[in-house]
Amino acid sequence: MTPQDHGPPNTAPRPQRLRDVARAAGVHPATASRALNPATRTQVNADTARRVLQVAKELGYRPNPVALALKTARSHTVGLVIPDLTNPYFPPIVRGIESELEPAGYHAWIVDTHNDPEREHSRVESLRERQVEGLIVATARREHPYLSALHAQGVPMVLVNRRVEDLAVPCVIPDDASGVVQAVRHLAELGHTRIAHIGGPATTSTGAMRTRAFRHAVRDLSLADDPALVTEAAEWSEEAGARAMRQLLDARARFTAVVTGNDLLALGCYDVFAERGIDCPGQVSVVGFNDMPFLARLRPALTTVRVPHHAVGAEAARMLLDGMATPARTARSLLLPVTLVVRESTAPPGRADGTAPLTA
Amino acid sequence: MTPQDHGPPNTAPRPQRLRDVARAAGVHPATASRALNPATRTQVNADTARRVLQVAKELGYRPNPVALALKTARSHTVGLVIPDLTNPYFPPIVRGIESELEPAGYHAWIVDTHNDPEREHSRVESLRERQVEGLIVATARREHPYLSALHAQGVPMVLVNRRVEDLAVPCVIPDDASGVVQAVRHLAELGHTRIAHIGGPATTSTGAMRTRAFRHAVRDLSLADDPALVTEAAEWSEEAGARAMRQLLDARARFTAVVTGNDLLALGCYDVFAERGIDCPGQVSVVGFNDMPFLARLRPALTTVRVPHHAVGAEAARMLLDGMATPARTARSLLLPVTLVVRESTAPPGRADGTAPLTA
DNA sequence: TTGTAAGCGTTATCAA
DNA sequence: TTGATAACGCTTACAA
């Protein structure tokens, strides 16, 4: 042992292999394999099978998943494509997914694309190389040639929180339209008539969806249907939300409430209110979307639309599992119900505390 | 095509294999392999190598990582063991880790243990079976026989945010002691003399560490060193923090400020303040730890200790990569500097707004 | 410098 | 019902 040689030696016990089990049980590896696999167990003598199982347990045998994947081209693994793991919206979805996947004997390979299409492409390729059997994709661009191609090739795939326009990829998404309607109706009931909208990027299906729903809702409720009141944020971030709100204000748009495409955008509005001394909800009411964690602790606590994160994930996983079992199936879209949770960021316009409604 | 047969057929192009490249280049697969691998490229004629590389590129050849892993027992993959992905503290660390891993050609397999030791065990085993070459572990229990055993067996491993007591496992952790000292000194400078502490579970190294640091700090600054002022939360959660705060209050402990083991615990205190009509920071000042996202938006904005999440992850990854390259290396501990970020939850005791300091 | 052949741990095909 | 044997796609002694 030289002075440099400090690290622990590799003393990891070599894992037991199939052949070890076979030898110990006095059978051929092929027989052991058949005995161990529930699907082929009937091909082997019941006593022999029992013995093999027993020995395998004693030796603590676990099949080598790598060898298995090489041989069968199946890995018992699915890929999770997440646009941004630091967005608190996604981890609960991941939990939901895993809660369904694991009882089915599958594990999830999580990749974070950082919202970068190139990175997404390369990470998905690497997932494919690693023989994932299916993909759950949470990145929300509307067009995605690469993924579309994969799906067309028969790669089992389900989209969460996103829908591809003219393509029949199964997806599970929150009922965006209903959420927006609930938000707008809530504001209308409070007495608002001029409601603005800060939508997410129209390049994302969610952004497009919610904005469209907003337009319809406002029209259906006979509220001000003024194009000047709807803007689009460049991305799903606080900064983008702030920019959009500033733009709305600077354009001297008249509104007393704003419905945003998601909570982050709403937080951006908060920032602008602080900058400009605008009182929320005194002068402007705000409704977010998603119900991220910790929103109830904000100043003011944000009124928002709650989406059932866990259920979204769980349903997506179930759908994928289904799709992997019976690949020939028509694509379904699952819409999960959302609920408005009213907190402190919404109030009647120009309420009794003496602040005037915001006009420009 | 039967009526049931709707799904897309599997038309995925078969990936190119080494033998395809070899054939197209007119060489034996072994030669192609050597040409493709930078480490063995010198063994092959420069022209031949060039040709092979060229052909490989044209065919879009990518080595099959599964076959590679089976053959070499290396997967170019490391396992990330995270206690709770929904805790916003961790995703930035994951980002930091990946930022170092990927340029080195490694990918991260993330597992979420849900803070469950059994689950941790089984997930780590599955990671091992999948031939991960190393482990980055962020679960914070102080004792962990299974992981300790793995490390002793020579499995490359680094701990983040955690240290194992008497075992020489390399780790990168925030400078907890310094953070606590900064917090206590800040409060002392504001005039507080009776400062309470709600520590994290003593079974976690971070919990034990920060509590110990608190005791020292309080003594060094000649503040009240009263055992009744230090409690331990049962877990790192808001509920546990709330319970601890209630207990402190119910025991009629006298204090005007509290330093908590992490931000979640501090949020629990906020809940109790709301319950009991206690004004923060008017009656009690609070300091958290970690600087989770969105803290600046709370009511009141939480004063806390910022830890350099990204750097923690990046350093850990670098350390692991080192350890994998040269396994024989003495364990190092890296302490990353933390900074106090003062916001609104701390103020002088019994400040000018007329509220009295909290006594019981 | 290149080719041959064995083998990583499994499963699947074929015979016995 | 079981065993022999050949893959899966790759690397690596060893031989040429």
Side-chain angles (χ1 to χ4, degrees), chain A residues 189-273:
Chain A
E189 282 167 358
L190 286 174
H192 295 271
T193 56
R194 295 192 60 82
I195 305 176
H197 177 62
I198 297 181
T203 51
T204 66
S205 61
T206 308
M209 197 93 194
R210 293 180 186 168
T211 296
R212 194 178 320 142
F214 176 81
R215 287 226 174 87
H216 288 154
V218 124
R219 215 168 297 145
D220 290 352
L221 292 168
S222 313
L223 305 173
D225 181 15
D226 181 348
L229 290 181
V230 357
T231 40
E232 176 187 341
E235 45 177 30
W236 295 106
S237 69
E238 294 160 88
E239 302 70 42
R243 278 196 300 273
M245 175 48 83
R246 278 190 213 104
Q247 184 183 315
L248 232 31
L249 257 15
D250 293 341
R252 315 200 141 263
R254 282 179 49 235
F255 60 94
T256 57
V258 57
V259 171
T260 60
N262 82 358
D263 295 328
L264 255 16
L265 262 21
L267 295 190
C269 295
Y270 275 24
D271 291 340
V272 176
F273 296 160

Side-chain angles (χ1 to χ4, degrees), chain A residues 6 10-11 62 75 84 95 102 108-109 119 123 129-130 153 238 271 297-299 330 344, chain B residues 6 10-11 62 75 84 95 102 108-109 119 125 129-130 153 238 271 297-299 330 344:
Chain A
H6 287 320
N10 186 339
T11 56
R62 313 254 327 222
S75 61
D84 177 6
R95 282 251 168 129
E102 296 184 357
W109 229 130
R119 190 180 153 83
R123 301 302 283 111
E129 285 169 356
R130 290 194 145 86
Q153 287 167 10
E238 294 160 88
D271 291 340
R297 298 180 178 283
L298 298 188
R299 164 185 10 203
T330 78
E344 305 165 355
Chain B
H6 287 322
N10 186 338
T11 58
R62 314 252 329 219
S75 61
D84 177 8
R95 283 250 168 130
E102 295 182 359
W109 229 133
R119 189 179 152 83
E125 274 201 333
E129 285 169 356
R130 290 194 146 85
Q153 288 167 9
E238 295 160 90
D271 291 340
R297 297 181 179 280
L298 298 188
R299 163 185 11 207
T330 77
E344 304 166 356

